[in-house]
Amino acid sequence: MLFVLAAIICAFVISGYHSLNDMQQRYSSAIVQTQSATQDIGLSFDWYGLTLVDTIVKYLHGIVDSKTALNTLKDGQQKNSILLHKYYANALPEEREEAEYISSQDAVINKILVDLYDAIETGNKDTINKLLPQLYNIIEPLCAKINRVIEIKTQSAAANKGKLSENIDELRRFLFISFAMCLSLFIGSSLRDAGEK
């Protein structure tokens, strides 16, 4: 009987260990997706939806000079490239369509930016006014896709956190049952020793 209890306790310990590993994986995944939604693709949204257009409009209205506009745009473009690289590394399988769309549209925007930088350097505001509507037409659906990605990542993180809570409850049960079995094993061993005396 004692050997059976010992074997059951071992089985519970192994199951608890696997449950703990699962908890660690779910926790890591939830953290990664939350960070990607807020710090990677989330900040990329700010570049397309705010910084890019806002800087061009400010330049056109004389609020910032060409040097400031170029520095802001080139710096933002470089940072966005890094953000997208991080995002692609953590993209979920269910985001594949959105990720491909974001990549393709980012490439189009980067081509427009080559002409835009040239127009700002030469002070050609007519060209800038022609390029601005092109950017608007790309950025609006692009930002909608980014919002969808943020939604998917948020749902994934929430699902992992919910399952993590279930894993914690399961591990708590394993520990309680293991403790009860250890106690039974101890009592059974003590009774056997007392009977032998």
Side-chain angles (χ1 to χ4, degrees), residues 8-9 12 172-183:
I8 293 172
I9 290 170
F12 269 97
R172 190 178 288 118
R173 285 193 297 272
F174 280 141
L175 291 172
F176 177 77
I177 293 170
S178 296
F179 173 76
M181 288 185 170
C182 284
L183 190 60

Side-chain angles (χ1 to χ4, degrees), residues 10 18 22 24 30 40 60 88 135 146 159-160 162 174 187 192:
C10 287
H18 287 304
D22 192 39
Q24 289 174 326
D40 300 336
L60 287 172
Y88 296 136
L135 285 172
I146 292 174
N160 275 318
F174 280 141
I187 293 169
R192 187 188 65 179

Side-chain angles (χ1 to χ4, degrees), residues 77 108-119 121 131:
Q77 184 183 17
V108 174
I109 287 174
N110 286 337
K111 287 179 182 177
I112 293 173
L113 287 178
V114 172
D115 295 332
L116 182 69
Y117 294 157
D118 183 59
E121 285 173 355
L131 294 173

Side-chain angles (χ1 to χ4, degrees), residues 1 34 39 55 57 69 130 155:
M1 183 66 181
T34 300
Q39 296 181 24
T55 303
V57 171
K130 289 177 184 176
Q155 289 172 351

Side-chain angles (χ1 to χ4, degrees), residues 27-77:
Y27 177 77
S28 296
S29 179
I31 293 296
V32 166
Q33 294 309 319
T34 300
Q35 181 176 348
S36 183
T38 56
Q39 296 181 24
D40 300 336
I41 198 66
L43 293 179
S44 194
F45 178 95
D46 292 344
W47 156 246
Y48 296 119
L50 299 173
T51 306
L52 179 54
V53 174
D54 182 63
T55 303
I56 296 169
V57 171
K58 282 180 177 176
Y59 171 71
L60 287 172
H61 287 84
I63 298 171
V64 297
D65 60 20
S66 59
K67 183 179 179 181
T68 302
L70 285 170
N71 286 342
T72 301
L73 291 170
K74 289 180 179 180
D75 183 57
Q77 184 183 17

